[in-house]
Amino acid sequence: MMSPNQNSEDRGGSSNSTTLRYLNHTGASVLLFIFTCIVPSSFFFLILQKPWKGRPLTNAQVVPAVINGGITALYFILWGKGLKSCGPVRSILAEYAGAVLGVLSAVLYGRRGHLWKKIGGLIAMLASFYFLSQGWATATSSPFNILFLFLALSLTSLPDPIMDVAVYELNQLLPFSKKSDAEIQTEQDVGMKEMLVPIVAGILSALRRVISRRVSLKSQLKRRLNAITIASATCFLFPVAIWDMIIGSKNVELPFSMWTFSSTIFFGIILIFYVDSIAEERLHMVFSSPRHLMVAGVCIILMEIVYKMDFSLPGFFVCAAILGFGIYEATSLDRVRKDSFMKSDGLDGILDDGVLMSSLPT
C-alpha cells in the first residue's frame, strides 16, 4: 500500500522525479501504480463530463465504450511496463506502432495498388523500432556518438595536455556523464523482445482511439463516452490490482511521490485526452500521422535535454525520420478517392478506405 515515506529527491520537490525514475528507484509495482493513478482520473472525468446527464446514451454507444475500457486498462499496464523496461523515448515512439493497424486493414480490405507501398512503410517502421531497441537514440549506445568519440580520440598527433582537455570536454557533452550505473544499465539492456511490450501498447492505443471515433460523432459525446471508458478501465484494473497486491507482487509497498503521481494523472491521463481532442478536431492532426510525430519529436528533444537524459540527438533524428517515412508510406491514401469531409490523414483515413464502419457490434 502507499507509504508516507518519501525519498530525499521527492522531499526536495525536484521535477526530475519522473515516472521512470520512480518505478526504477522504488521498485514499486507497475500495476498498482497505474491503478492508483487511474482511479482519481476516472473520478475527474465523471465529475466533469457527467455522462448520466443530457441525452440518454444508447447501448450501441455505451457497450463499445465499456469494451474500450478493457482495452484501455490493458494499454496502461503495457505502457507502464514498457516505460520501465525501455525508457521514455522508446515508449513514446512505440505509440506510433498503431499505424500497423492501417497496414493490416489495407492488406486485408484495401486496394491492391497500394499494397507494396504500405508493406514498404511497415518494413521502415520495423527498422526504426529495431534501431531504437539497439540504443541509437541513447548517448551510451548510439553509433553516431561512439563514432564521433572514436574520431576525436584517433587524433594522436595532438599533445597530451590538449588531448586530455578534448576528452574531458567530450565526456561533459554526453548527457549520461552524471548518471548512475544503474540508470545507464537500464537504458542500455533493451532488445526487440523488450520493445514488443510498448509496440503492443501502441497498437492497443490506436485501437481504442479508433473505437472512440467510431462511437462518438460529436466532441461533447466523445467526452461523455471517454468518462465511461476510463471508469470502465478502473473497474477492469481493480481485481487485477488486488490480485497483484495480495499474491502477485513481492513488494506491495507504494512509496508516495506528489510530483510523480500528480504529473502522471494530470499530464499522462487527463491533459493528453483534451490535447488529442483539440489536435484532431481543430487542427485535423490525427495520431499516428507524420505531422503528429514531428510535433511530438520536438517535444521529446526539448524534454530529454531539460531532464539531462541519456539521449543522442543524431540517433533520435535518424530513428524518427525512418519512422515518419514508414508511417507516411504505410498510411498513404489515394487523395482523389478521399471523401470531401475527411480532412485528416493517417490511421483514421486508412480504416475508412478499407472498412466502412457505420456502427460497432453490441
Side-chain angles (χ1 to χ4, degrees):
M1 299 297 292
M2 277 196 165
S3 171
N5 296 329
Q6 298 176 325
N7 54 38
S8 59
E9 183 183 35
D10 296 333
R11 279 196 294 266
S14 173
S15 61
N16 289 332
S17 177
T18 60
T19 305
L20 173 63
R21 292 178 178 175
Y22 172 83
L23 294 175
N24 286 335
H25 288 170
T26 62
S29 170
V30 173
L31 201 153
L32 289 178
F33 174 78
I34 293 298
F35 177 73
T36 306
C37 292
I38 202 173
V39 168
S41 302
S42 64
F43 279 109
F44 174 86
F45 283 121
L46 288 173
I47 294 173
L48 190 65
Q49 303 303 337
K50 298 180 177 63
W52 55 85
K53 288 190 175 182
R55 186 176 180 179
L57 300 173
T58 64
N59 288 337
Q61 296 169 331
V62 176
V63 174
V66 173
I67 297 175
N68 208 16
I71 298 175
T72 302
L74 182 58
Y75 156 73
F76 276 119
I77 295 174
L78 295 179
W79 173 82
K81 292 185 177 296
L83 176 66
K84 185 175 182 179
S85 61
C86 298
V89 175
R90 299 184 181 101
S91 299
I92 294 174
L93 292 184
E95 290 263 350
Y96 295 90
V100 173
L101 288 180
V103 180
L104 295 178
S105 175
V107 171
L108 296 176
Y109 305 102
R111 299 177 62 188
R112 295 298 177 181
H114 295 283
L115 181 60
W116 290 109
K117 193 174 184 181
K118 299 178 191 305
I119 292 178
L122 178 60
I123 294 175
M125 292 170 57
L126 294 177
S128 175
F129 292 139
Y130 174 76
F131 294 146
L132 285 170
S133 68
Q134 299 302 307
W136 279 35
T138 60
T140 52
S141 302
S142 175
F144 300 98
N145 292 59
I146 296 175
L147 178 62
F148 180 65
L149 185 60
F150 174 77
L151 291 176
L153 293 177
S154 64
L155 300 176
T156 55
S157 59
L158 293 176
D160 290 340
I162 299 180
M163 175 58 68
D164 294 339
V165 173
V167 172
Y168 174 79
E169 292 296 332
L170 286 173
N171 288 330
Q172 291 299 109
L173 291 176
L174 296 178
F176 64 87
S177 57
K178 295 183 180 181
K179 299 182 68 175
S180 64
D181 294 337
E183 288 177 295
I184 296 175
Q185 189 71 15
T186 301
E187 297 183 4
Q188 277 185 314
D189 296 341
V190 175
M192 279 302 294
K193 182 178 179 181
E194 290 79 9
M195 277 292 295
L196 285 178
V197 175
I199 288 176
V200 174
I203 296 176
L204 291 176
S205 176
L207 181 60
R208 69 189 183 95
R209 293 171 192 272
V210 170
I211 295 177
S212 177
R213 293 192 196 110
R214 291 301 176 272
V215 178
S216 56
L217 300 177
K218 296 181 180 180
S219 60
Q220 183 61 33
L221 179 59
K222 181 178 180 180
R223 294 185 178 93
R224 294 174 65 191
L225 291 176
N226 177 72
I228 298 177
T229 298
I230 298 299
S232 175
T234 306
C235 296
F236 278 107
L237 281 174
F238 176 73
V240 185
I242 295 298
W243 178 270
D244 183 72
M245 183 177 64
I246 297 176
I247 299 177
S249 179
K250 295 180 180 179
N251 182 18
V252 298
E253 184 179 2
L254 197 62
F256 182 74
S257 169
M258 177 61 71
W259 168 250
T260 302
F261 281 91
S262 60
S263 62
T264 303
I265 294 170
F266 182 73
F267 294 106
I269 301 178
I270 297 176
L271 184 61
I272 193 173
F273 168 74
Y274 293 103
V275 171
D276 281 348
S277 299
I278 294 174
E280 183 176 340
E281 296 164 8
R282 304 286 182 85
L283 304 177
H284 304 290
M285 187 183 298
V286 182
F287 197 88
S288 292
S289 66
R291 287 196 305 164
H292 196 286
L293 175 62
M294 182 176 63
V295 175
V298 174
C299 296
I300 290 174
I301 293 173
L302 294 177
M303 295 304 295
E304 290 291 304
I305 294 176
V306 169
Y307 282 92
K308 298 180 180 180
M309 300 294 287
D310 184 8
F311 182 69
S312 170
L313 180 59
F316 172 80
F317 180 80
V318 171
C319 293
I322 297 175
L323 180 59
F325 172 78
I327 292 174
Y328 178 80
E329 293 296 323
T331 60
S332 61
L333 295 172
D334 187 355
R335 284 351 188 235
V336 178
R337 296 183 65 251
K338 286 179 63 178
D339 296 331
S340 59
F341 66 91
M342 287 300 300
K343 297 181 180 180
S344 60
D345 53 2
L347 176 63
D348 195 17
I350 273 291
L351 290 175
D352 285 341
D353 188 44
V355 186
L356 297 177
M357 302 173 61
S358 58
S359 62
L360 291 177
T362 60

